[in-house]
Amino acid sequence: AQSVSQHNHHVILSEAASLELGCNYSYGGTVNLFWYVQYPGQHLQLLLKYFSGDPLVKGIKGFEAEFIKSKFSFNLRKPSVQWSDTAEYFCAVISLTGGFKTIFGAGTRLFVKA
Amino acid sequence: DTAVSQTPKYLVTQMGNDKSIKCEQNLGHDTMYWYKQDSKKFLKIMFSYNNKELIINETVPNRFSPKSPDKAHLNLHINSLELGDSAVYFCASSQDGPGEQYFGPGTRLTVT
């Protein structure tokens, strides 16, 4: 079955630490990839996306992600986190074959200590 | 000028009742979705509509019935509510199927 795995369920960092959140998916074909963020009490917002081209994509608020096709991975990174990055982060994958169904990972809760 | 709006924001009701959640998007998008987010924050797609036509219907009990009167609206009606239906329900829209999605603020449903 198609699935998306986020390896870290809870991450606690101090401000200025670097962040990397893992995301792996199990689709065999072409996919579109997304990272969404949900700040406390808010709705999900797009952080960044990858459709094609340069596998290193940059998003809002200094986030970036790298698509590694051979590893079926799309890890999220930020060189220096801030307290305001405290949120839930979701990786999402849409297969471009078979109905465009979106599968979300289970989410990673990031807490940044001031 | 909210892009995707949902009403109500909170819904508290008793088991066995029937309730509806409304969703509207003013982005001109063709595709709309309903998601359920459980207490562990896990997001699962329930339905997807494209231009008022149902295109994704996950394994959801048939007590849940989506209705799309036009492509800007996708409502969710739930019959005979159960305790396990308690969750946050998010509506979303996208220009097309494989694109980025814009989410509404969510409706927190509590069934007692």
Side-chain angles (χ1 to χ4, degrees):
Chain A
Q2 299 160 341
S3 65
V4 177
S5 298
Q6 290 183 238
H7 316 298
N8 318 98
H9 296 294
H10 292 92
V11 174
I12 301 174
L13 294 173
S14 298
E15 275 196 312
S18 64
L19 171 72
E20 179 158 1
L21 301 182
C23 173
N24 285 86
Y25 62 94
S26 66
Y27 293 95
T30 307
V31 295
N32 286 349
L33 299 156
F34 307 83
W35 276 96
Y36 289 89
V37 60
Q38 187 176 24
Y39 296 105
Q42 295 189 27
H43 59 281
L44 277 85
Q45 307 168 43
L46 182 72
L47 209 49
L48 46 77
K49 62 189 178 187
Y50 173 80
F51 290 175
S52 64
D54 187 345
L56 184 62
V57 292
K58 295 192 184 300
I60 59 172
K61 303 186 180 186
F63 285 90
E64 65 179 33
E66 184 176 12
F67 171 50
I68 303 179
K69 190 174 182 180
S70 60
K71 294 185 178 180
F72 299 92
S73 70
F74 189 55
N75 292 353
L76 181 71
R77 299 195 290 251
K78 185 170 183 178
S80 175
V81 295
Q82 300 172 311
W83 176 80
S84 57
D85 293 325
T86 294
E88 191 96 20
Y89 292 82
F90 294 92
C91 180
V93 177
I94 298 179
S95 170
L96 299 189
T97 54
F100 302 143
K101 188 169 96 172
T102 307
I103 304 288
F104 277 84
T108 297
R109 183 166 294 182
L110 171 66
F111 179 73
V112 180
K113 298 185 288 186
Chain B
D1 56 338
T2 305
V4 182
S5 59
Q6 293 178 231
T7 53
K9 193 168 181 181
Y10 299 96
L11 188 51
V12 181
T13 188
Q14 292 183 326
M15 280 197 309
N17 284 348
D18 304 338
K19 290 292 177 188
S20 292
I21 307 172
K22 296 187 176 183
C23 177
E24 177 181 0
Q25 54 96 2
N26 62 7
L27 298 166
H29 287 167
D30 288 338
T31 308
M32 295 185 73
Y33 312 81
W34 276 110
Y35 288 89
K36 180 180 180 181
Q37 187 177 47
D38 63 24
S39 57
K40 295 183 180 178
K41 299 283 192 176
F42 186 65
L43 260 173
K44 190 161 193 285
I45 190 164
M46 300 172 70
F47 302 102
S48 173
Y49 270 71
N50 183 271
N51 267 319
K52 302 194 298 174
E53 185 181 333
L54 181 67
I55 55 171
I56 292 175
N57 183 352
E58 284 299 286
T59 352
V60 176
N62 56 16
R63 299 183 293 104
F64 290 79
S65 52
K67 284 189 173 48
S68 183
D70 55 61
K71 77 171 195 177
H73 295 84
L74 180 62
N75 303 324
L76 183 65
H77 188 76
I78 317 169
N79 288 327
S80 302
L81 278 154
E82 300 178 357
L83 292 176
D85 298 331
S86 294
V88 181
Y89 292 84
F90 285 100
C91 176
S93 72
S94 65
Q95 180 57 50
D96 50 35
E100 66 186 86
Q101 294 173 33
Y102 293 77
F103 284 80
T107 295
R108 183 175 293 276
L109 171 65
T110 304
V111 182
T112 61

